[in-house]
Amino acid sequence: MVYVTRRATFSASHRLYNPKFSEAKNFEIFDKCANPNGHGHNYVLEITVVGMPRQDTGYVIDLTKLKQVMKTEILDKVDHKHLNHDVDFMQGVIPTAENIAKAIWKILEPKITEGKLISVRLQETENNSVEYRGEE
Ligand code: NI
């Protein structure tokens, strides 16, 4: 098996806040990430697909096609947007890196027909990143 990864970046804002919690509890849990008007990140998204290279092309997946599907399905919808307000697939969930990665998996998994999606890795800051591999 060969693991093939495509990287992309986007900028988005979010606010970590659970409306079921009090204001005080939100700040206790999310601290400054709960500030009312949100804040931004420069995210780095890495999508990894696994498979055997095809006999005829030598590719597991054509990276130009993966780049295109990441653009139309994800980046065009999140780049320079507010994840709490502007992004349909993030409605009703707290837009942590964990939940963004899970939502991206759900969208991309059925769209990847060459090889198999194995990992969605999302870096939110230089020091913080998450990885989702499709398991509950
Ligand atoms: Ni944040």
Side-chain angles (χ1 to χ4, degrees):
M1 299 290 243
V2 181
Y3 294 74
V4 177
T5 301
R6 172 78 196 176
R7 178 181 180 275
T9 58
F10 63 92
S11 301
S13 49
H14 70 171
R15 180 194 189 197
L16 303 185
Y17 183 84
N18 187 337
K20 289 177 184 159
F21 296 155
S22 69
E23 203 72 358
K25 191 169 182 189
N26 270 294
F27 279 96
E28 186 190 312
I29 294 170
F30 299 116
D31 194 37
K32 60 189 178 184
C33 296
N35 282 346
N37 295 325
H39 61 275
H41 293 285
N42 294 317
Y43 289 95
V44 180
L45 175 64
E46 288 179 321
I47 300 299
T48 302
V49 174
V50 65
M52 284 303 287
R54 289 167 51 140
Q55 200 77 43
D56 54 349
T57 62
Y59 286 156
V60 172
I61 182 171
D62 182 338
L63 280 173
T64 307
K65 287 185 193 158
L66 180 57
K67 176 188 173 183
Q68 194 56 43
V69 77
M70 286 166 68
K71 182 184 184 305
T72 55
E73 298 296 328
I74 310 296
L75 303 175
D76 288 351
K77 295 175 182 172
V78 297
D79 191 33
H80 288 70
K81 299 287 175 62
H82 197 301
L83 298 169
N84 302 65
H85 303 295
D86 304 329
V87 179
D88 56 355
F89 65 77
M90 290 307 299
Q91 295 313 297
V93 292
I94 302 170
T96 55
E98 290 90 329
N99 281 336
I100 303 165
K102 283 186 70 184
I104 290 173
W105 175 286
K106 200 174 168 193
I107 294 166
L108 290 184
E109 201 271 334
K111 304 274 177 191
I112 292 169
T113 52
E114 299 171 85
K116 188 175 155 322
L117 179 63
I118 194 81
S119 164
V120 172
R121 191 170 172 276
L122 187 66
Q123 185 182 320
E124 194 170 69
T125 69
E126 206 176 334
N127 297 321
N128 297 347
S129 62
V130 304
E131 183 178 9
Y132 183 56
R133 294 181 180 172
E135 293 149 11
E136 290 296 322

